[in-house]
Amino acid sequence: MSEIFDIYLLEAVLNGLLLGGLLALLSLGLNLVFGVIDVVWICYAELIMCGMYAVYYLYVQYHWPLVLAMLAAIALVALLGWILHQFVIRPVLNAEPINQLLVTGGVLFFLQAAATLVFGIEFKNLGVTLPSVRLGEMSFSAARLVAFGAALGGVVGLWLFLSRSYLGTAIRAISQDRAIMPLMGVDPGRIFALTSALGGGLAGLASCLLVLQYDIHPSIGLSFGPITFLICVLGGLGNMLGGFIAAFIFAQFIAVGGFFFAVEWGYVIAFIFFIAMMFWRPRGILGK
Amino acid sequence: MNYPLHLAILVLLWGYIYTSWSLMGRLGLVSFGHGAFMGIGAYTVVMLWNHFGLSPWLGAIAAFVFSAVVAIVIGWPCFRFRIVGHYFALVTLALSEVTRLIFIAARDHTGGSLGATPNGALVDGTSASLWALQFSSKLPWLLIVTALWLFGLWVWRQVDRSMGRLALQAISEEEEAAASIGIHVTRAKLRITIISALMTCAGGILYAQYQLYVNPDTVSGIAISLQMVFGVIAGGMFVMLGPTVGAAFTLLLAEGLRLAFGNRYPALDATIYGVMLVLFIIYMPKGILGAALEGWKAARRRKAAPA
């Protein structure tokens, strides 16, 4: 009896690890945008929702090949990120910081309502089921394995881009000192727009992986939006590595908490842990 | 007759709740967690009534104690450790999600995401039970929420005239400087947070009793917390009647569009509202009433000045 118990617990821990990869991917774009532009996109999860609808419609309604539909969705969400920055964030860039938070909250409201208006409230499903992978007596969803791999790929790719390329260097420079870079010939406006598109693209990548595992509906953003913000804050807003670690911590709370109690209790424990951590390390686990 | 009465009740009740939120919001404490206090009020009272037959009047006392404890447990460390701005908003966001998830997770007692209905007290043709806070007609409700709304405005005025308001305003502009001239930052913030939380809790209690229904998503969580924040922004958070104007505006927008288009376009009102919110925050950060008052003042100044 105790042996079976342990293997299920191990399965929960490993599933938590896979969930951690997905959450890490979710928080990546948000963290990038915050680190560079110093703005929290409250509507980030709604951008992901747009990407999910794009994959769904291109693949199911217009019969595009799945990979092509996903690439198009990534491009679309990257465009949305750029539009969001140019038309919504830019006008309030010098306003009070809380206004920037609130204006993207307005976008959240708009996207959620517009999705209800255009797509209806029905749950939509891609109809693609990836097989589950068996390892001994444990089973894992292949979609989660793919997501985990994509998350690692996304993190490494982003790190290479930021550390090796000219544009990446400019992005990092601007995030360190916003005032001095224009003197060095870097145009902050262009870098911000580029970062927003990149953040949007990462949201698009996350949407491609979420759409494999979850049904799409207009309020799906509310179900994983909060946890994405909390991961970024727990890791230290703008701190990629911190966010990555925080994602795995949160995922373990949810998976193991959900194993012992109901899954909502896993979330409750994770959120309470977050609040407690904020008091202990207000600038995040890796914050100064 | 019932329909306008229903609208008036909702405008006043939400106006009161938005006013309660603004007590903090206009002084730089932007909370995304007031859904938690509303939910605690609504659920504590309904659960105590359903499971123990405790009158909402007594349940309200428990709800107030509970809300105050939560406000202190979250507020004190936040203020003590100088968690402000984005961070304060996101910590309180976590709080409102925690309450929502607890209501769902404790589904054996609360009915989970399906919500719960307070046991009916109006049997055998009785039309009102003050003990159970249930009335079959809407008139008593209008009186109750009007009184509550006036109370909210009165609190606003008292806060406005107090030393505490000046202290908080100083804090919201420059926290370190305020502390350096001897303002007890933590105490000043905690006091206004508890007032605001208890008032929101009272709003939650009455909302549940009026609707005779509680649901985790409609009384707590991120959605309802954002609804409060945005209602206030639309109306204007720096003037006394601003939050009420915001409540009236959002409700009348929704109802107006529903009358115009029927139910053909669900969420049309929310779509338009979302666009307006974005425009408000960019171009009219003082809200409808704030901007109107400013325009009126400017016009009067022009008239007063000789041409």
Short mmCIF file of all heavy atoms in Angstrom, two decimals, chain A residues 114-146:
data_model
loop_
_atom_site.label_atom_id
_atom_site.label_comp_id
_atom_site.label_asym_id
_atom_site.label_seq_id
_atom_site.Cartn_x
_atom_site.Cartn_y
_atom_site.Cartn_z
N ALA A 114 -14.80 41.41 -25.81
CA ALA A 114 -14.82 41.29 -27.27
C ALA A 114 -14.80 39.82 -27.69
O ALA A 114 -15.47 39.43 -28.64
CB ALA A 114 -13.64 42.04 -27.88
N ALA A 115 -14.05 38.99 -26.95
CA ALA A 115 -14.01 37.56 -27.27
C ALA A 115 -15.38 36.93 -27.07
O ALA A 115 -15.82 36.11 -27.87
CB ALA A 115 -12.96 36.86 -26.41
N THR A 116 -16.09 37.36 -26.00
CA THR A 116 -17.44 36.85 -25.77
C THR A 116 -18.35 37.26 -26.91
O THR A 116 -19.15 36.46 -27.41
CB THR A 116 -18.00 37.42 -24.45
OG1 THR A 116 -17.01 37.27 -23.45
CG2 THR A 116 -19.25 36.68 -24.04
N LEU A 117 -18.20 38.51 -27.33
CA LEU A 117 -19.05 39.05 -28.39
C LEU A 117 -18.81 38.33 -29.71
O LEU A 117 -19.74 37.96 -30.43
CB LEU A 117 -18.74 40.55 -28.54
CG LEU A 117 -19.65 41.41 -29.38
CD1 LEU A 117 -21.05 41.41 -28.79
CD2 LEU A 117 -19.11 42.83 -29.44
N VAL A 118 -17.54 38.11 -30.03
CA VAL A 118 -17.20 37.57 -31.35
C VAL A 118 -17.27 36.05 -31.38
O VAL A 118 -17.80 35.46 -32.31
CB VAL A 118 -15.78 38.04 -31.77
CG1 VAL A 118 -15.39 37.44 -33.10
CG2 VAL A 118 -15.74 39.56 -31.84
N PHE A 119 -16.72 35.42 -30.33
CA PHE A 119 -16.58 33.96 -30.37
C PHE A 119 -17.65 33.22 -29.57
O PHE A 119 -17.76 32.01 -29.68
CB PHE A 119 -15.20 33.54 -29.85
CG PHE A 119 -14.06 34.20 -30.57
CD1 PHE A 119 -13.13 34.96 -29.89
CD2 PHE A 119 -13.92 34.06 -31.95
CE1 PHE A 119 -12.09 35.58 -30.56
CE2 PHE A 119 -12.88 34.68 -32.62
CZ PHE A 119 -11.96 35.43 -31.92
N GLY A 120 -18.42 33.95 -28.74
CA GLY A 120 -19.41 33.29 -27.90
C GLY A 120 -18.77 32.67 -26.68
O GLY A 120 -17.55 32.60 -26.57
N ILE A 121 -19.64 32.22 -25.74
CA ILE A 121 -19.08 31.74 -24.47
C ILE A 121 -18.84 30.23 -24.48
O ILE A 121 -18.41 29.67 -23.49
CB ILE A 121 -19.99 32.10 -23.28
CG1 ILE A 121 -21.42 31.64 -23.55
CG2 ILE A 121 -19.94 33.58 -22.96
CD1 ILE A 121 -22.28 31.67 -22.32
N GLU A 122 -19.11 29.56 -25.61
CA GLU A 122 -18.91 28.12 -25.62
C GLU A 122 -17.44 27.79 -25.43
O GLU A 122 -16.57 28.53 -25.85
CB GLU A 122 -19.37 27.49 -26.94
CG GLU A 122 -20.81 27.72 -27.30
CD GLU A 122 -21.01 29.05 -28.00
OE1 GLU A 122 -20.09 29.48 -28.73
OE2 GLU A 122 -22.07 29.67 -27.80
N PHE A 123 -17.22 26.62 -24.81
CA PHE A 123 -15.86 26.12 -24.70
C PHE A 123 -15.47 25.52 -26.04
O PHE A 123 -16.24 24.75 -26.62
CB PHE A 123 -15.78 25.03 -23.62
CG PHE A 123 -15.78 25.60 -22.24
CD1 PHE A 123 -16.76 26.49 -21.84
CD2 PHE A 123 -14.81 25.23 -21.32
CE1 PHE A 123 -16.77 27.02 -20.56
CE2 PHE A 123 -14.81 25.75 -20.04
CZ PHE A 123 -15.79 26.64 -19.67
N LYS A 124 -14.30 25.90 -26.53
CA LYS A 124 -13.87 25.36 -27.80
C LYS A 124 -12.64 24.47 -27.57
O LYS A 124 -11.79 24.78 -26.75
CB LYS A 124 -13.53 26.47 -28.77
CG LYS A 124 -14.74 27.32 -29.10
CD LYS A 124 -14.49 28.22 -30.27
CE LYS A 124 -15.57 29.26 -30.46
NZ LYS A 124 -16.92 28.73 -30.53
N ASN A 125 -12.61 23.39 -28.32
CA ASN A 125 -11.53 22.43 -28.13
C ASN A 125 -10.89 22.13 -29.47
O ASN A 125 -11.57 21.96 -30.48
CB ASN A 125 -12.09 21.15 -27.51
CG ASN A 125 -10.98 20.26 -27.04
OD1 ASN A 125 -10.16 19.81 -27.83
ND2 ASN A 125 -10.95 20.01 -25.75
N LEU A 126 -9.58 22.07 -29.46
CA LEU A 126 -8.84 21.85 -30.69
C LEU A 126 -9.12 20.46 -31.26
O LEU A 126 -9.04 20.24 -32.46
CB LEU A 126 -7.35 22.01 -30.40
CG LEU A 126 -6.47 22.47 -31.55
CD1 LEU A 126 -7.02 23.75 -32.15
CD2 LEU A 126 -5.06 22.69 -31.07
N GLY A 127 -9.47 19.51 -30.39
CA GLY A 127 -9.72 18.15 -30.86
C GLY A 127 -8.46 17.36 -31.15
O GLY A 127 -8.51 16.30 -31.76
N VAL A 128 -7.33 17.92 -30.74
CA VAL A 128 -6.07 17.19 -30.90
C VAL A 128 -5.75 16.59 -29.54
O VAL A 128 -5.64 17.31 -28.57
CB VAL A 128 -4.92 18.12 -31.31
CG1 VAL A 128 -3.61 17.35 -31.42
CG2 VAL A 128 -5.25 18.81 -32.60
N THR A 129 -5.66 15.26 -29.46
CA THR A 129 -5.21 14.71 -28.19
C THR A 129 -3.88 14.03 -28.41
O THR A 129 -3.75 13.13 -29.24
CB THR A 129 -6.22 13.68 -27.63
OG1 THR A 129 -6.76 12.96 -28.73
CG2 THR A 129 -7.31 14.36 -26.84
N LEU A 130 -2.91 14.51 -27.68
CA LEU A 130 -1.61 13.86 -27.73
C LEU A 130 -1.67 12.67 -26.78
O LEU A 130 -2.35 12.71 -25.77
CB LEU A 130 -0.52 14.84 -27.30
CG LEU A 130 -0.35 16.03 -28.23
CD1 LEU A 130 0.76 16.94 -27.75
CD2 LEU A 130 -0.06 15.58 -29.65
N PRO A 131 -1.00 11.59 -27.14
CA PRO A 131 -1.04 10.41 -26.28
C PRO A 131 -0.38 10.71 -24.94
O PRO A 131 0.42 11.63 -24.83
CB PRO A 131 -0.23 9.38 -27.07
CG PRO A 131 0.68 10.19 -27.92
CD PRO A 131 -0.07 11.43 -28.26
N SER A 132 -0.72 9.89 -23.93
CA SER A 132 0.00 10.08 -22.68
C SER A 132 1.19 9.12 -22.67
O SER A 132 1.17 8.04 -23.24
CB SER A 132 -0.92 9.83 -21.48
OG SER A 132 -1.43 8.53 -21.56
N VAL A 133 2.24 9.59 -22.05
CA VAL A 133 3.48 8.83 -22.03
C VAL A 133 3.56 8.05 -20.72
O VAL A 133 3.32 8.61 -19.65
CB VAL A 133 4.68 9.80 -22.13
CG1 VAL A 133 5.99 9.04 -22.04
CG2 VAL A 133 4.60 10.60 -23.41
N ARG A 134 3.85 6.75 -20.84
CA ARG A 134 3.91 5.94 -19.62
C ARG A 134 5.36 5.70 -19.23
O ARG A 134 6.22 5.47 -20.07
CB ARG A 134 3.22 4.60 -19.84
CG ARG A 134 1.74 4.74 -20.11
CD ARG A 134 1.01 3.45 -19.83
NE ARG A 134 1.02 3.13 -18.42
CZ ARG A 134 0.17 3.65 -17.54
NH1 ARG A 134 -0.73 4.50 -17.94
NH2 ARG A 134 0.23 3.30 -16.28
N LEU A 135 5.59 5.82 -17.95
CA LEU A 135 6.92 5.56 -17.44
C LEU A 135 6.72 4.70 -16.21
O LEU A 135 6.29 5.18 -15.17
CB LEU A 135 7.63 6.87 -17.09
CG LEU A 135 9.06 6.74 -16.59
CD1 LEU A 135 10.01 6.44 -17.74
CD2 LEU A 135 9.50 8.03 -15.90
N GLY A 136 6.97 3.39 -16.36
CA GLY A 136 6.67 2.49 -15.26
C GLY A 136 5.17 2.54 -15.00
O GLY A 136 4.37 2.37 -15.93
N GLU A 137 4.79 2.81 -13.76
CA GLU A 137 3.37 2.87 -13.45
C GLU A 137 2.84 4.29 -13.51
O GLU A 137 1.68 4.55 -13.21
CB GLU A 137 3.14 2.30 -12.04
CG GLU A 137 3.28 0.80 -12.02
CD GLU A 137 2.90 0.23 -10.66
OE1 GLU A 137 1.87 0.65 -10.12
OE2 GLU A 137 3.65 -0.61 -10.16
N MET A 138 3.71 5.24 -13.86
CA MET A 138 3.28 6.64 -13.89
C MET A 138 2.93 7.02 -15.32
O MET A 138 3.50 6.49 -16.27
CB MET A 138 4.41 7.54 -13.39
CG MET A 138 4.82 7.21 -11.98
SD MET A 138 6.22 8.18 -11.44
CE MET A 138 7.57 7.43 -12.30
N SER A 139 2.00 7.95 -15.47
CA SER A 139 1.71 8.42 -16.81
C SER A 139 1.72 9.94 -16.84
O SER A 139 1.33 10.60 -15.88
CB SER A 139 0.36 7.88 -17.29
OG SER A 139 -0.68 8.56 -16.65
N PHE A 140 2.21 10.47 -17.96
CA PHE A 140 2.32 11.92 -18.12
C PHE A 140 1.69 12.32 -19.43
O PHE A 140 1.71 11.57 -20.39
CB PHE A 140 3.79 12.35 -18.12
CG PHE A 140 4.54 11.88 -16.92
CD1 PHE A 140 5.33 10.75 -16.99
CD2 PHE A 140 4.43 12.57 -15.72
CE1 PHE A 140 6.00 10.31 -15.88
CE2 PHE A 140 5.11 12.13 -14.61
CZ PHE A 140 5.90 11.00 -14.68
N SER A 141 1.13 13.53 -19.45
CA SER A 141 0.55 14.00 -20.70
C SER A 141 1.66 14.45 -21.63
O SER A 141 2.57 15.19 -21.24
CB SER A 141 -0.43 15.14 -20.40
OG SER A 141 -0.14 16.24 -21.18
N ALA A 142 1.59 13.96 -22.88
CA ALA A 142 2.63 14.33 -23.85
C ALA A 142 2.60 15.82 -24.12
O ALA A 142 3.64 16.44 -24.35
CB ALA A 142 2.42 13.55 -25.14
N ALA A 143 1.38 16.41 -24.06
CA ALA A 143 1.27 17.85 -24.29
C ALA A 143 2.11 18.61 -23.27
O ALA A 143 2.75 19.61 -23.58
CB ALA A 143 -0.20 18.28 -24.19
N ARG A 144 2.11 18.09 -22.04
CA ARG A 144 2.90 18.76 -21.00
C ARG A 144 4.38 18.59 -21.23
O ARG A 144 5.16 19.51 -20.96
CB ARG A 144 2.52 18.21 -19.63
CG ARG A 144 1.22 18.78 -19.15
CD ARG A 144 1.13 18.76 -17.65
NE ARG A 144 0.02 19.59 -17.25
CZ ARG A 144 -0.58 19.51 -16.08
NH1 ARG A 144 -0.15 18.63 -15.19
NH2 ARG A 144 -1.57 20.31 -15.78
N LEU A 145 4.76 17.41 -21.74
CA LEU A 145 6.18 17.21 -22.05
C LEU A 145 6.62 18.19 -23.14
O LEU A 145 7.68 18.80 -23.04
CB LEU A 145 6.43 15.77 -22.50
CG LEU A 145 6.43 14.72 -21.38
CD1 LEU A 145 6.47 13.31 -21.98
CD2 LEU A 145 7.62 14.92 -20.47
N VAL A 146 5.77 18.32 -24.18
CA VAL A 146 6.10 19.25 -25.25
C VAL A 146 6.21 20.66 -24.70
O VAL A 146 7.15 21.42 -25.02
CB VAL A 146 5.01 19.19 -26.36
CG1 VAL A 146 5.25 20.28 -27.39
CG2 VAL A 146 5.00 17.82 -27.01
#
